[in-house]
Amino acid sequence: MRGPDHDLLREELVAVASSSGLDLAVQRAGLHRRAKHLVVMDADSTLLQDEVIDLLAVECGCAAEVSEITELAMAGEIDFADALRRGHPARGTTESVLDDVRNKLRLTPGARTLLRTLQRLGYVPAVVSGGFVEVLEPLMAELKVDYLAAIGSRSRTAS
């Protein structure tokens, strides 16, 4: 959007964002803005229809424990990333379990089109997740997403 009064435009858009529940950013046009082409999105329940951590927990038979950890983290009682690093119940799963979870990943409708369109327009998509890197890396490679940051990574055992 363009307007002669940047501050007034920002003020009005903030009001619209607040009343509609949207996140909006207002930034002055210029070369510095045109050079920014990074789009970061969440993998879990955004790019994907499921939560990787929940799929892993089901496969490992520890869904109740993972649900409890997630609830505590969402309530701010524990640090989720720290809980994953210190001994998450899904740690030590076999490569075959990872394969099973990878095979269950479902993209949200339009996800491939969104990524292809962003890439054709010169944007660089990046994906973040609370799930495990080992599960997501192959799919991100297939989707040509070069940047992935995931909280969980784990030691592997042979299948």
Side-chain angles (χ1 to χ4, degrees):
M1 297 182 70
R2 292 180 188 232
D5 185 339
H6 183 79
D7 293 328
L8 179 61
L9 178 62
R10 179 188 301 268
E11 193 176 300
E12 289 180 9
L13 285 173
V14 166
V16 169
S18 294
S19 67
S20 63
L22 296 173
D23 288 331
L24 296 175
V26 178
Q27 186 176 45
R28 292 188 187 278
L31 291 177
H32 69 284
R33 185 181 59 90
R34 292 179 186 265
K36 295 180 182 178
H37 294 291
L38 181 67
V39 177
V40 181
M41 63 193 79
D42 187 18
D44 307 281
S45 296
T46 302
L47 188 64
L48 301 172
Q49 293 184 42
D50 304 292
E51 298 279 333
V52 172
I53 195 79
D54 291 341
L55 293 174
L56 258 174
V58 169
E59 287 296 318
C60 295
C62 58
E65 292 172 76
V66 170
S67 179
E68 183 180 336
I69 290 170
T70 302
E71 282 183 39
L72 291 171
M74 294 300 158
E77 295 178 29
I78 63 169
D79 180 76
F80 186 67
D82 198 37
L84 284 175
R85 282 189 289 271
R86 282 189 289 127
H88 190 275
R91 283 191 174 292
T93 57
T94 64
E95 194 66 38
S96 65
V97 169
L98 293 176
D99 290 339
D100 290 343
V101 171
R102 278 187 211 106
N103 290 332
K104 290 180 180 175
L105 294 178
R106 300 174 301 152
L107 290 173
T108 55
R112 285 183 193 278
T113 302
L114 171 66
L115 291 170
R116 255 191 329 264
T117 302
L118 288 171
Q119 291 160 342
R120 286 181 184 150
L121 291 172
Y123 290 85
V124 176
V127 174
V128 295
S129 174
F132 290 95
V133 170
E134 296 87 350
V135 172
L136 293 168
E137 273 181 337
L139 178 60
M140 294 306 112
E142 176 190 327
L143 296 170
K144 297 180 176 57
V145 172
D146 294 329
Y147 299 97
L148 169 65
I151 291 174
S153 65
R154 40 165 221 73
S155 58
R156 283 181 230 178
T157 59
S159 42

